[in-house]
Structures are given as C-alpha cells and as structure tokens.
C-alpha cells in the first residue's frame, strides 16, 4: 500500500482575530494562521479561494477576500446558508478554524497594468472582487481609471459599507453604488436601479479597459449585453464562478463543466471562456 507522505486535505489552523458583521446574515472573519511558519510563508493571488472548516461540521469554499498586498492575515466573508456556514457563524473571536488552500487560478493582474479597471458586483459577490480592488489600489499608479459599480437589494444588504465610504471619498476611484427600486431609505446617497441599468448609465469607456464582473446569475445575464453594448470584447471581461465544490483540488469531479474543472482551471474565467463552457451543458 502506498502511504502518501503529505495529507493534501489537512487544513492549517487559523485563529479568528476579528469578526465584522457586514449585513444581518453576512459576516467577515479576519484569520491569523496559528503556526508562525505558515503565517510567514502563506501566499496567494487575488481570485484564489480556500476551504474553511468548522470542526465537526465540515468545509465550505470561500474566496480569499483580503488583498495579497496586506500580509499577516487573510479574510473571508460568508453568508450563513446551511450546515457549515451556520457552524462557522456560531464561532467567536479567539476560536480556531481550519483553512486549506489557496486553490484555483487568479486574476492575471500583471496583464491589467496600464489599463482602466471597471468592477461590477452585486450583493454578496463583492468579496471576490474586493481582493483585486485593494490589490489595485495598493499599487494605484500602475492602473488608469478605476470604476466600481456595486449594488444590492437594499442598503442593509451592501457589504463592506465602511470601505464603500472610503472608496467614495477617494478622488482616484469612481464609485457608483445602487440599490434595487424600493431598497433605499430616506438618507440613501446612491443610485436606485438594477446593476446592469446603472452600469449602462455610468457608461465606462471600453477603450483600454478590463471589466471584472461578479454577481448572481441574473445580474451576470443582464450585465454582459450591457458591457457588449459599451464595446467590451469577450476577452476584456473576467468573472469568477462558484460551482459547488468538495476537494478544491481537481480530484473529486464535483465542480466540472465538460472537461473544465472550475476549482483547478478557474474559478476566474473570461466571458469568452464561460460562453464556450456553457455550450457544454
Ligand atoms: C470558488 C467559490 C467561492 C465562493 N466564495 C464564497 C464567498 O466568498 N462567500 C460565500 O458566502 N460563499 C461563497 N461560496 C459559496 C459557498 O461555498 C457556499 O455557500 C457554502 O459552501 C455553503 O455551505 P453550507 O454547508 O453552509 O451549505 P449547504 O448546507 O451545503 O447548502 C445550503 C444552501 O446553499 C446552497 N449552496 C451550497 N453551495 C453553493 C454554491 N457553491 N453556490 C451556490 N449555492 C450553494 C445549497 O444548494 C443550499 O441551498 C463560494 C463557492 C465557490 C465554489
Ligand atoms: S471540487 Fe473536486 S474536482 Fe473540483
């Protein structure tokens, strides 16, 4: 019998250093690896994900939502929807979780140097783009204009509210925030309307620009034609997919679409690659 010398499924232990409630059901964990050697050596790229475990409950897949430019910790942001995420939600500051990863491909940020960036996100889908937003802002002079179009159903459903305020106040970022019709209170200072409509009104130029889109399927469905209308080609548009996963490592076959393993070949794809994959269904 062949006994592997390294268990690829063994997670690293990480302590919850900080908990931030983003919305009534979405929570951010700031995690610090307990082993100093892991803490010093752990590196990742924007767009990659990890498997996070609540002991006794199982593992869940979340993107690494912090930027690789900010070292010493990682952050994840999750919505409590089921067994594992509910168990993670019951944890407190000082408790331990398991983390294995980073897995998957990443946004090719070096290819974006010298170009404008347009981020388009809906609801809980801001975290996979937030890592790249801070990554770009931490090396601001490498990029042209940065536009962020972000929307949620209601004001309370917007995540990273403190960072939206920070981006709004920066002169080198154009933030367009919106809530669905009926989702705003009397003091709302953003737009009202669905993300694709607001994106069309904001009309960022497609010239020398990369669009990064993440959101619920319905938002993606209506956003891609808007980007096309604005002149974006399929290879100028990147998105990140959230197919259900188990191993995260290309072993279990849970996440594949045709011969593409979303965990290994993705989760980051261009619109052209996603269109080619959807023909496989
Ligand atoms: C690459 C990737 C990145 C992700 N990043 C994040 C993130 O940053 N934050 C976050 O909150 N979630 C993220 N998800 C989704 C997250 O993995 C699931 O919501 C979570 O694993 C549910 O686990 P559970 O045991 O609590 O729920 P379960 O008890 O397994 O399921 C509860 C409900 O959630 C649905 N569900 C489970 N997994 C998914 C999924 N992958 N996509 C859609 N619906 C699902 C189930 O169908 C069911 O209706 C990501 C998924 C992938 C694949
Ligand atoms: S999650 Fe197991 S093969 Fe992709």
């Amino acid at each position: 019998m062949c006994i592997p010398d390294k268990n690829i499924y063994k997670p690293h232990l990480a302590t919850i250093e900080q908990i931030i409630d983003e919305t009534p059901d979405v929570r951010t964990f700031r995690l610090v690896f307990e082993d100093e050697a892991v803490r010093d050596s752990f590196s990742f790229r924007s767009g990659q994900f990890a498997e996070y475990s609540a002991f006794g409950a199982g593992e869940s897949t979340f993107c690494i939502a912090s930027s690789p430019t900010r070292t010493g910790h990682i952050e994840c942001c999750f919505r409590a929807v089921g067994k594992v995420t509910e168990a993670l939600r019951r944890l407190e500051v000082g408790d331990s979780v398991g983390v294995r990863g980073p897995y998957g491909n990443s946004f090719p940020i070096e290819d974006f140097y010298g170009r404008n960036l347009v981020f388009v996100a809906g609801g809980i889908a801001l975290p996979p783009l937030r890592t790249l937003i801070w990554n770009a802002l931490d090396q601001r002079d490498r990029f042209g204009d940065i536009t962020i179009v972000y929307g949620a159903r209601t004001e309370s459903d917007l995540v990273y509210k403190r960072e939206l305020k920070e981006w709004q106040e920066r002169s080198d970022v154009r933030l367009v925030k919106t809530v669905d019709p009926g989702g705003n209170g009397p003091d709302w200072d953003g737009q009202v309307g669905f993300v694709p409509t607001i994106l069309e009104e904001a009309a960022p130029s497609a010239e020398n620009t990369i669009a990064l889109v993440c959101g619920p399927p319905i938002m993606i469905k209506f956003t891609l034609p808007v980007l096309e209308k604005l002149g974006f080609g399929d290879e100028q548009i990147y998105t990140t997919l959230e197919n259900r996963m188990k191993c995260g490592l290309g072993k279990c076959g849970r996440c594949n679409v045709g011969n593409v393993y979303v965990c290994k070949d993705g989760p980051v794809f261009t619109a052209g690659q996603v269109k080619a994959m959807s023909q496989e269904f």
Side-chain angles (χ1 to χ4, degrees), residues 72-219:
H73 68 270
I74 59 168
E75 288 179 3
C76 64
C77 176
F78 64 95
R79 170 172 281 145
V81 292
K83 187 175 161 234
V84 179
T85 44
E86 295 287 0
L88 285 169
R89 200 182 157 80
R90 285 193 289 274
L91 299 177
E92 293 172 2
V93 169
D95 286 342
S96 295
V97 297
V99 179
R100 58 182 183 92
Y103 297 132
N105 70 352
S106 58
F107 295 107
I109 188 169
E110 295 79 6
D111 296 349
F112 305 161
Y113 290 167
R115 308 186 78 170
N116 307 311
L117 301 178
V118 176
F119 295 91
V120 187
I124 175 73
L126 185 56
L129 297 186
R130 182 248 198 177
T131 167
L132 187 62
I133 293 174
W134 279 120
N135 197 341
L137 292 177
D138 285 347
Q139 34 182 337
R140 184 66 187 87
D141 54 355
R142 290 186 187 273
F143 302 92
D145 295 340
I146 295 185
T147 304
I148 302 166
V149 179
Y150 173 51
R153 270 190 312 229
T154 70
E155 276 181 67
S156 137
D157 291 315
L158 294 163
V159 297
Y160 301 126
K161 293 181 185 66
R162 63 209 171 276
E163 296 181 7
L164 297 178
K165 191 162 177 289
E166 206 176 322
W167 297 336
Q168 191 162 359
E169 284 165 2
R170 284 180 72 137
S171 57
D172 58 356
V173 175
R174 179 183 179 206
L175 173 73
V176 183
K177 58 180 185 180
T178 184
V179 292
D180 290 356
N184 57 310
D187 298 327
W188 174 240
D189 60 347
Q191 309 285 313
V192 176
F194 297 110
V195 168
T197 315
I198 299 301
L199 171 68
E200 190 165 0
E201 283 169 19
S205 165
E207 202 186 323
N208 195 31
T209 306
I210 294 292
L212 303 122
V213 185
C214 198
I218 186 82
M219 187 205 95

Side-chain angles (χ1 to χ4, degrees), residues 44-49 68 102-112 131-132 135 212 238-240 263-270 273:
F44 67 97
R45 288 177 58 87
S46 290
Q48 289 193 291
F49 64 90
Y103 297 132
N105 70 352
S106 58
F107 295 107
I109 188 169
E110 295 79 6
D111 296 349
F112 305 161
T131 167
L132 187 62
N135 197 341
L212 303 122
Y238 287 78
T239 191
T240 159
C263 66
K264 206 160 53 83
D265 304 317
V268 174
F269 296 96
T270 63
Q273 289 169 323

